[in-house]
Amino acid sequence: MASIKERSKSLVAIEEAHKIMGSFSRNEISIMFLVFVSGLLQIHGADKLTCYRSESPCRFKQMPCPAECPLKSPSNNTDKVCYVNCESPVCKAECKSSKPNCNGPGSACLDPRFIGADGIVFYFHGKSNEHFSLVSDRDLQINARFIGLRPAGRSRDFTWIQALGILFNSHSFSLEAERAATWDNKVDHLKFTYDGEEVVIPAGRLSEWKSSQSDLIVQRTSTSNSVLVTLPEIAEISVNVVPITKEDDRIHKYQIPKDDCFAHLEVQFRFHGLSSKVEGVLGRTYQPDFKNPAKPGVAMPVVGGDKEYKTSSLLSADCNACSFSPNEPSNKEDLKIKQYSFIDCSGGSKSGNGIVCRK
C-alpha cells in the first residue's frame, strides 16, 4: 500500500498535469497527440522497405515508411501505399495511391486523356476496335485496344482503352476489361492471358500471380477490378476498370446503349529505364528532346499519330514507328530515362522527398 505522503505527491502531480494541459487549446492537444502517434508508427508500426535494384544508389538500404502511409499493404483499399522508389535522388520511401492517378504523368484515362512525361495533357482518339502502340522501345512494347461508338452526326468515334497488350523478352501478356451490360463493382471484369494462356488470379485484395521466371507479377490492389502489373527493372502499370456512368453519358452526350456500359481501363505507367528513342502515343513524350505538339490553352488538345502507331493486333509490334526488337544488342551509350510518375503530389511540395511537384 502506498503511504499517504506518496498518494499526496501523486495527486499534486496530476493537478499540475491538468494545469499544463489546460493551458493548451483543443487543437494544440490534437496536434500533439497526432505527433505522438506518428512517432509510435515510425518506431513500431511502420514497415521498412529495401531497394534491391542493381544500379540504384539506394541498393540494400532500408527505408522506413512515412507516417502518411506506414504500410506497404494496408487493409483499407483507400489508404495510400508505402512504396520504395529505387530511382529517387534521395533514398526515402514514398506514398502512392493503390489505383491510377489520372492527373499524374504517365496516365491514360477517360476518352482517352493522356498526361505525358512532360506533364502536358493531350487526347488521342484513334478508332474503335483498332489497336495502337502506347509505348514502343527496344525491349518493351505496350499496345492498347480501343473501343467506342460514333453517334449520328459526329465525324469521329468516342473511344476508350479496353485492353492492354504487352511484349517483353520473348513473352506476351494481355489484360482487358470484359464487356458488361450493367456495372457491378463487386463483379471482377478483368481478364488476363500470359503467352496465350488464360491466367486466373484469385479474388481478394493483395492476391497475386507470378510467371514461372518471376519476370511478371500481377497483384490485385482491391477485391476486384484493380491490379498492379510489375515487370521488374522495366515498368509498373497501375490499372483500374470503370464503366461509363449515366452522368458521364448525360454530360458528354455519348449515347451509350442500354445493353453495354462500355467498361474500360484507367491506367498509369511508371518506367525504370526507357531508351532515348522510345516511341508510341505516350512513349514519345519520354524522349529527352520531345516537343509536345499539343496546343497550349486549348481545352482538349488532340494529338495525332494514328497512322504511325496503329498495329495489326493487340500483341503485334508492326506499327510504322514501332522500335520493339528484343533480340538486337542494346546500345550501351544510349541515354536511359528515369521518371517519377507515381510520386504523390497531394501534400504539396514536400510529398516528393526532395522533388518539387508542379502542374
Side-chain angles (χ1 to χ4, degrees):
M1 294 290 290
S3 66
I4 295 176
K5 188 175 182 180
E6 288 175 339
R7 279 183 286 178
S8 297
K9 287 182 179 179
S10 299
L11 289 172
V12 170
I14 293 171
E15 288 176 0
E16 289 297 324
H18 277 295
K19 288 179 182 179
I20 292 171
M21 294 301 290
S23 65
F24 293 104
S25 67
R26 182 174 296 177
N27 287 338
E28 288 172 327
I29 293 172
S30 299
I31 292 170
M32 287 189 292
F33 177 75
L34 287 174
V35 170
F36 174 73
V37 171
S38 297
L40 288 178
L41 282 173
Q42 290 284 6
I43 297 170
H44 300 290
D47 285 338
K48 289 185 178 180
L49 305 183
T50 305
C51 172
Y52 295 102
R53 189 161 300 138
S54 58
E55 298 179 358
S56 172
C58 306
R59 191 182 187 193
F60 299 140
K61 290 186 178 180
Q62 278 199 335
M63 291 163 268
C65 294
E68 309 92 85
C69 55
L71 304 175
K72 63 180 180 180
S73 301
S75 57
N76 191 332
N77 290 352
T78 60
D79 287 352
K80 290 180 180 178
V81 176
C82 181
Y83 172 78
V84 56
N85 184 354
C86 292
E87 293 167 0
S88 174
V90 291
C91 298
K92 290 184 179 180
E94 301 169 359
C95 297
K96 71 174 182 179
S97 172
S98 60
K99 294 186 179 181
N101 175 9
C102 289
N103 294 313
S107 62
C109 304
L110 304 174
D111 59 344
R113 172 184 180 266
F114 290 86
I115 301 182
D118 52 7
I120 294 177
V121 175
F122 66 93
Y123 289 78
F124 176 86
H125 296 301
K127 292 182 181 179
S128 178
N129 299 316
E130 292 190 357
H131 306 88
F132 298 90
S133 169
L134 300 187
V135 177
S136 185
D137 207 2
R138 186 189 62 82
D139 55 358
L140 177 66
Q141 177 81 22
I142 303 176
N143 297 334
R145 178 192 297 133
F146 287 18
I147 55 170
L149 75 170
R150 184 183 301 189
R154 286 190 58 83
S155 59
R156 64 166 182 83
D157 297 340
F158 285 117
T159 56
W160 299 272
I161 295 175
Q162 180 265 338
L164 293 179
I166 304 171
L167 301 174
F168 63 101
N169 300 328
S170 58
H171 301 290
S172 65
F173 175 76
S174 71
L175 62 88
E176 62 181 277
E178 294 189 291
R179 186 182 183 278
T182 57
W183 181 257
D184 183 352
N185 196 47
K186 295 180 181 179
V187 176
D188 189 50
H189 297 82
L190 279 167
K191 181 181 179 181
F192 311 92
T193 68
Y194 178 72
D195 288 344
E197 300 291 331
E198 185 172 353
V199 170
V200 177
I201 303 176
R205 189 166 185 267
L206 304 181
S207 65
E208 69 176 27
W209 174 90
K210 291 184 179 181
S211 64
S212 58
Q213 298 175 337
S214 295
D215 54 0
L216 175 71
I217 304 167
V218 185
Q219 182 185 59
R220 291 194 182 274
T221 53
S222 63
T223 305
S224 58
N225 298 310
S226 301
V227 293
L228 177 67
V229 179
T230 302
L231 299 167
E233 306 282 337
I234 299 175
E236 293 176 28
I237 310 169
S238 183
V239 180
N240 189 37
V241 184
V242 294
I244 300 298
T245 66
K246 292 182 179 180
E247 184 66 9
D248 293 333
D249 191 24
R250 183 189 68 80
I251 292 173
H252 299 286
K253 298 181 174 59
Y254 292 137
Q255 298 183 30
I256 298 295
K258 293 182 179 180
D259 63 345
D260 192 348
C261 67
F262 278 79
H264 61 282
L265 306 180
E266 296 177 334
V267 298
Q268 187 180 20
F269 301 91
R270 182 176 185 274
F271 303 105
H272 299 313
L274 296 173
S275 77
S276 61
K277 297 179 181 179
V278 61
E279 274 290 355
V281 174
L282 180 65
R284 58 185 166 177
T285 68
Y286 291 86
Q287 297 173 5
D289 57 351
F290 175 73
K291 294 182 180 179
N292 202 314
K295 295 180 179 179
V298 177
M300 291 184 63
V302 179
V303 173
D306 53 321
K307 293 181 180 179
E308 292 87 348
Y309 300 122
K310 182 180 176 181
T311 63
S312 59
S313 70
L314 186 63
L315 294 171
S316 297
D318 55 1
C319 71
N320 292 334
C322 285
S323 57
F324 180 68
S325 52
N327 296 323
E328 289 186 11
S330 62
N331 181 1
K332 293 183 179 180
E333 296 181 357
D334 187 27
L335 173 66
K336 290 293 184 179
I337 303 164
K338 298 178 180 180
Q339 53 91 27
Y340 310 98
S341 64
F342 279 177
I343 286 177
D344 173 27
C345 287
S346 61
S349 61
K350 295 181 180 179
S351 297
N353 288 324
I355 296 172
V356 177
C357 298
R358 292 192 178 96
K359 293 183 178 179

